[in-house]
Amino acid sequence: MLCICGSGLDEDVCCKSIIEKKRVAVFPEQLMRSRYYSYAHNNVDYLYETYADHAKSATLKSEIADWCQQSRWIKLNIHRADAVAIDNVNCTVENENTALKYPIVNFTAYYIYNDTYCQMTEQSRFIVENGQWRYYDGDVIEQKACVKLTRNTSCPCGSGKKYKRCCIG
């Protein structure tokens, strides 16, 4: 089955293998894609684990769970991803040559929330902690409701079915 992250790869060799710890995310983009996959599959533990330590709070897991349960994830488009491999990056000190303190991934995620097709564009920053990429923080560039879905609307997932027979509920 193709991975929901949009990489064009089979999920077993893409995000699923990172989440199941069969391999590590070498690039920030791989971590970003695996996090998107986890939102789509309600994998709260993985999402929490991949936050940078500074961002973890007592309520973070319940906030993640609420967002996962309330949203149906449709599509991910990566616009820009700094190709900095974990093997050659020092994310704690500004790198003179690349000017990257926190490598970024700029993306748009499409999802359904309260029967509304929405999109969110974010610039996410990443850091290496204990030899692993972690989500440091992000700036939402744009978040908008695109269209209110009714039962007979064509489903935005691209299945060709009506919303009531596809992604509703």
Side-chain angles (χ1 to χ4, degrees), residues 28 34 60 87 128:
S34 70
L60 182 59
D87 292 340
V128 173

Side-chain angles (χ1 to χ4, degrees), residues 65-126:
D66 288 346
W67 186 236
C68 285
Q69 291 168 2
Q70 295 172 16
S71 304
R72 167 93 162 109
W73 299 91
I74 303 297
K75 182 172 72 169
L76 175 69
N77 287 338
I78 304 289
H79 306 296
R80 173 187 168 194
D82 292 336
V84 179
I86 206 165
D87 292 340
N88 64 6
V89 68
N90 179 351
C91 289
T92 58
V93 179
E94 192 83 23
N95 182 324
E96 242 178 80
N97 299 326
T98 61
L100 294 175
K101 183 171 183 179
Y102 301 105
I104 67 157
V105 175
N106 199 326
F107 69 92
T108 300
Y110 300 85
Y111 59 97
I112 298 170
Y113 177 79
N114 285 337
D115 294 325
T116 303
Y117 183 55
C118 304
Q119 75 178 52
M120 177 187 70
T121 301
E122 179 178 309
Q123 180 170 292
S124 297
R125 286 176 283 282
F126 296 85

